[in-house]
Amino acid sequence: IQCIMVALVCLFPQMVMHYKSSAVQLDQQQINKQFDSIQIPGLGGSGPGGGLPGLDLNAPPTLNLQ
């Protein structure tokens, strides 16, 4: 059955390719506007939630080997 279906798709590709012509058209300017309006909350700072205590994202990473 699979071989028959592969042969049919090879012989008549329009059976499966007719959906490709009705693809969704995207407007790049609208996409960029939506991405610009996304706000990602920070981990540090004194905003709502207070951030994570003891976490300084500006400091270089260190290893505490004790």
Side-chain angles (χ1 to χ4, degrees):
I1 292 174
Q2 288 179 345
C3 291
I4 292 170
M5 289 306 298
V6 169
L8 286 173
V9 169
C10 289
L11 292 173
F12 305 104
Q14 63 270 20
M15 289 190 311
V16 293
M17 296 300 288
H18 72 278
Y19 293 113
K20 187 176 173 105
S21 64
S22 64
V24 175
Q25 300 295 324
L26 299 177
D27 183 16
Q28 189 65 37
Q29 291 178 347
Q30 289 286 53
I31 294 171
N32 290 339
K33 189 187 311 181
Q34 286 183 357
F35 276 125
D36 290 340
S37 67
I38 294 175
Q39 295 180 359
I40 301 173
L43 293 176
S46 61
L52 297 175
L55 179 65
D56 184 9
L57 296 177
N58 296 321
T62 58
L63 294 175
N64 294 331
L65 302 174
Q66 295 178 0

